[in-house]
Amino acid sequence: MVVWWIIGAILVLLLIVLLLRVGITIAFGEKLYVAATVGPIKIDLMPAPEKKRKRAKASKKREKEGKKPLKETDSEEEKKAPRPTFRELRPALPVFWEALKKALRKTRRRMLVHPMQLAITFGGEDPAQLAQVYGWANSAMWVVMPQLEQLLQIPDPHIHLEADFERQHTSIEGTVGLRFRVGDLLSIVLTMAVPVLRWYMKWKKQPAVKEEPTTTTQNAQSVGKESYDGKE
C-alpha cells in the first residue's frame, strides 16, 4: 500500500512540473542578459558574477605561474569541436522547420512570446556574400513570422533587418521573452530530437565542405532595410 502511495505522489509531482509555467527573457546588445522566472521567482542566468570571479582568480593564478591568462571565451578544458557551416546546414533547415511546426501545433498556442523586439544589422567583409545573407534572412522573416503567429501567441512583434556594408560583423539588439509550460517544451524537444540527430549523424559521416568565395555581385544600394510588425 505504501508503494502505491509513493508512486501516486511521484505521478502527481510529475504532473505539477509538466503543467508549471516558466518564462525566459533574453536581452541582446552590448551585453547578453538572460533571466528565468518560475512563478514569482526570478533567476538571473547571465551574466553570472560568481563564474566571472572564479575565472578572474584562475587567470591571476596562471599569470603568477608564468602561463597565459584565460580569455573570456576560453577555459582550460575547452576543446574545439567541429561545427557545421551555414552552407552545410541550409539544406536541412526546411526539414527542421517542418518538425518545429509539428511540435508547436501540439502546444495549441499555449506559448507566449512577449516582448519580441529585434534589430539585426548584417555586416561582413564580402559585400556579395553579405547581400546574399541579408536577402535570405529577409525572405525567411516574411515566410516564417506569419506562420509563427498562427502557432504561438505573439501580440506585438517587431523585427528590423538592415545591411551595413561598412560593418565587419553582424550585430543583434533587442529583447525576447518566452512563457511556456514545461510539458510543452519537453514535447517540442522530443519532436525535434529525431530529425536533428538524424541530420547530425549523417553530417558527421560526410567530408567537410569548404566555403567557396561568392562570385555573385550586387550593388549596395539594392540592399536596404526591412521591418516586420506583425501580420495584417
Side-chain angles (χ1 to χ4, degrees), residues 5-20 182:
W5 277 105
I6 294 174
I7 294 176
I10 292 174
L11 291 176
V12 171
L13 181 61
L14 180 61
L15 180 62
I16 293 174
V17 171
L18 292 177
L19 295 178
L20 185 66
V182 174

Side-chain angles (χ1 to χ4, degrees), residues 140-203:
M141 178 181 69
W142 288 103
V143 171
V144 170
M145 282 305 301
Q147 297 184 57
L148 280 182
E149 288 185 89
Q150 295 178 359
L151 298 168
L152 304 169
Q153 297 182 53
I154 313 178
D156 187 24
H158 178 73
I159 302 176
H160 177 78
L161 303 182
E162 183 176 350
D164 187 346
F165 288 85
E166 297 181 357
R167 185 186 293 265
Q168 298 297 316
H169 303 285
T170 298
S171 65
I172 304 177
E173 297 181 355
T175 305
V176 176
L178 178 63
R179 289 190 62 83
F180 53 88
R181 288 181 181 178
V182 174
D184 289 336
L185 180 62
L186 181 61
S187 174
I188 292 172
V189 171
L190 293 177
T191 305
M192 293 290 297
V194 174
V196 171
L197 287 175
R198 186 181 298 165
W199 173 84
Y200 180 74
M201 297 304 296
K202 185 178 179 181
W203 170 76

Side-chain angles (χ1 to χ4, degrees), residues 4-5 49 56 77 82 118 128 148 155 177 182 208 232:
W4 289 109
W5 277 105
E77 298 84 8
L118 286 175
L148 280 182
V182 174
E232 296 181 358

Side-chain angles (χ1 to χ4, degrees), residues 11-228:
L11 291 176
V12 171
L13 181 61
L14 180 61
L15 180 62
I16 293 174
V17 171
L18 292 177
L19 295 178
L20 185 66
R21 290 190 67 88
V22 299
I24 295 178
T25 302
I26 305 175
F28 307 91
E30 295 182 359
K31 294 182 180 180
L32 178 63
Y33 172 76
V34 182
T37 56
V38 182
I41 303 173
K42 182 179 179 181
I43 306 171
D44 291 334
L45 302 178
M46 291 184 66
E50 185 63 27
K51 186 175 180 180
K52 288 185 176 181
R53 284 196 292 267
K54 288 181 179 180
R55 184 180 293 276
K57 289 180 181 179
S59 183
K60 289 181 180 179
K61 184 178 179 181
R62 287 174 63 87
E63 285 182 358
K64 290 180 180 179
E65 295 174 353
K67 300 178 182 179
K68 293 181 79 174
L70 291 173
K71 297 180 181 179
E72 286 190 15
T73 56
D74 294 338
S75 65
E76 293 184 272
E77 298 84 8
E78 182 179 11
K79 295 180 180 180
K80 290 185 178 180
R83 297 179 181 178
T85 62
F86 180 73
R87 182 181 176 185
E88 295 170 327
L89 186 60
R90 187 166 57 182
L93 292 180
V95 179
F96 296 163
W97 173 236
E98 290 302 320
L100 179 61
K101 288 196 295 183
K102 179 181 177 181
L104 292 177
R105 288 191 190 101
K106 296 179 181 179
T107 67
R108 300 182 183 275
R109 299 189 81 240
R110 285 189 294 266
M111 302 183 75
L112 171 66
V113 182
H114 184 73
M116 189 177 192
Q117 308 289 326
L118 286 175
I120 305 175
T121 303
F122 295 94
E125 298 179 355
D126 185 351
Q129 188 176 16
L130 170 58
Q132 284 189 341
V133 172
Y134 172 80
W136 184 89
N138 186 31
S139 299
M141 178 181 69
W142 288 103
V143 171
V144 170
M145 282 305 301
Q147 297 184 57
L148 280 182
E149 288 185 89
Q150 295 178 359
L151 298 168
L152 304 169
Q153 297 182 53
I154 313 178
D156 187 24
H158 178 73
I159 302 176
H160 177 78
L161 303 182
E162 183 176 350
D164 187 346
F165 288 85
E166 297 181 357
R167 185 186 293 265
Q168 298 297 316
H169 303 285
T170 298
S171 65
I172 304 177
E173 297 181 355
T175 305
V176 176
L178 178 63
R179 289 190 62 83
F180 53 88
R181 288 181 181 178
V182 174
D184 289 336
L185 180 62
L186 181 61
S187 174
I188 292 172
V189 171
L190 293 177
T191 305
M192 293 290 297
V194 174
V196 171
L197 287 175
R198 186 181 298 165
W199 173 84
Y200 180 74
M201 297 304 296
K202 185 178 179 181
W203 170 76
K204 287 201 70 174
K205 295 179 181 179
Q206 293 177 346
V209 178
K210 293 183 179 180
E211 289 284 351
E212 298 178 0
T214 308
T215 57
T216 305
T217 58
Q218 185 169 352
N219 193 315
Q221 294 180 353
S222 65
V223 179
K225 305 175 182 180
E226 283 288 342
S227 295
Y228 183 90

